[in-house]
Every structure is written in C-alpha cells, then in structure tokens.
Amino acid sequence: ILRLRHVSFIDASGARSLKDFAKECQKRSTTLFVSDVHGQAKKDLETFGLVHMIGPDRIFSHIDSALKVIYK
C-alpha cells in the first residue's frame, strides 16, 4: 500500500515516478494499492492516467478501506 497522506499534489515528475513504480509492480506480479488520496492529488492521478493504470478499485481515500479489501 502506497500511502499518499502527505501528498497535496502530483506534478509531471511525480506522475512519471508513480507510473514507473506501477509498471515495476506489474512486472513483479505485485498488486499496488494507493491510499489516503485526497483533493488535488486525486485529480492529478486522473489527469496523468494513473487511475486507469493502477485501477480505480485499488485507490482509496483511507488506509482502513484498502486494508479491508486486501484482507477480506
């Protein structure tokens, strides 16, 4: 779970790093979950295509929600 609780926005450089990380997770057959996404950072994930890449069902506003999905 990648927690973004202290991330207020994502710029092009951050988006590239997240995309690279998501690709590496896919390559290693590791499921990436993102939590604590709010406000502008959430909009930026959409803008840079990261919601589609990661999957909207793997992005959460709070870590507890992510944990419930993982451990169900």
Side-chain angles (χ1 to χ4, degrees):
I1 300 173
L2 179 64
R3 294 182 78 180
L4 299 181
R5 66 180 181 240
H6 297 296
V7 176
S8 56
F9 70 95
I10 299 168
D11 62 8
S13 176
R16 170 53 46 216
S17 294
L18 285 173
K19 285 181 181 180
D20 290 346
F21 183 65
K23 287 178 186 175
E24 188 64 28
C25 287
Q26 289 173 343
K27 182 177 158 184
R28 294 174 184 241
S29 299
T30 301
T31 303
L32 172 62
F33 291 90
V34 181
S35 74
D36 302 288
V37 182
H38 303 282
Q40 187 61 48
K42 188 173 185 175
K43 292 176 187 174
D44 294 338
L45 287 178
E46 283 278 352
T47 300
F48 289 110
L50 285 154
V51 171
H52 176 73
M53 183 177 200
I54 296 167
D57 58 330
R58 295 185 186 143
I59 299 174
F60 301 90
S61 60
H62 196 274
I63 192 164
D64 290 338
S65 302
L67 291 170
K68 284 179 186 176
V69 169
I70 292 169
Y71 292 111
K72 67 177 180 177

